[in-house]
Structure formats: structure tokens, C-alpha cells
Amino acid sequence: MPQITFIEYSDKSHCVDAETGKSLMQIAIDHGIPGIDADCGGSCACGTCHVIVHETWQGKLPTAQEEEMAMLDMTPEPQPGSRLSCQLTVTDALDGLVVRLPEFQM
Ligand code: FES
């Protein structure tokens, strides 16, 4: 089972076992990670599941689709590694992934 690390804005770190096939957002919710609101339930319509992918992982993830990019443009302070965690599906290839949480969601 891949392990994924979520780092809160305060630098508090949570390393969790992630079930493959679920979205990264759902993994965060399942493990009670603070800072992921996921108001739309994962339909790419709210932008409140924003995470910033660690720079060593940014080129290893599937490219964001147009809908995700449009929603990310509306998030406060989008960054180069910004992604919507509901649009990333956990696979074994993501073992070791590290994402940071922004200070605020939308
Ligand atoms: S949960 Fe709403 S955009 Fe990801």
C-alpha cells in the first residue's frame, strides 16, 4: 500500500497508508487530515481540495486536465506544484508522494 505524506501549512506532517484507486482527496478525508475541505465531494467544482505537490514529484504525476487547471486558477495563491487532490488517483507509483497544504482553501 503506497504511503503518502501530507504536510500542513504549520509544517505538521501526516504519513498515511493510501488505498489505491481512491483519490488523494478521499485519502486525506479518510485520515482526518486538516485543511482539505472538499466541498464539492470530488467533482472538480470547488477548488477546496488544493494541495501543493513537492517539487521532486511534480513531473511524475499525470498532467492536470483543462477543468482542473481552470479551477486551480481560482484558488488563492496557486503555485507551480498546485493540484486538486480530488483529481489525483492513488496508484502504487505514488508511493512516497509528499504534498503540502495551502494556508487557506477557497
Ligand atoms: S473536492 Fe471540489 S474540486 Fe476537489
Side-chain angles (χ1 to χ4, degrees), residues 23-26 38 40-47 49-50 68 83-89:
S23 72
L24 192 60
M25 175 275 282
Q26 193 60 54
C40 77
S43 55
C44 199
C46 72
C49 64
H50 178 203
E68 181 183 353
R83 296 297 301 262
L84 294 180
S85 57
C86 71
Q87 300 301 301
L88 291 169
T89 302

Side-chain angles (χ1 to χ4, degrees), residues 81-102:
S82 288
R83 296 297 301 262
L84 294 180
S85 57
C86 71
Q87 300 301 301
L88 291 169
T89 302
V90 174
T91 66
D92 287 329
L94 296 194
D95 185 34
L97 175 68
V98 178
V99 298
R100 297 192 69 93
L101 300 172

Side-chain angles (χ1 to χ4, degrees), residues 44-92:
C44 199
C46 72
T48 64
C49 64
H50 178 203
V51 296
I52 299 115
V53 175
H54 189 277
E55 60 187 19
T56 58
W57 279 91
Q58 288 175 15
K60 299 176 184 171
L61 299 179
T63 307
Q65 299 298 304
E66 196 172 320
E67 190 180 23
E68 181 183 353
M69 295 298 291
M71 192 57 63
L72 282 168
D73 281 344
M74 292 191 275
T75 61
E77 301 181 17
Q79 299 176 39
S82 288
R83 296 297 301 262
L84 294 180
S85 57
C86 71
Q87 300 301 301
L88 291 169
T89 302
V90 174
T91 66
D92 287 329

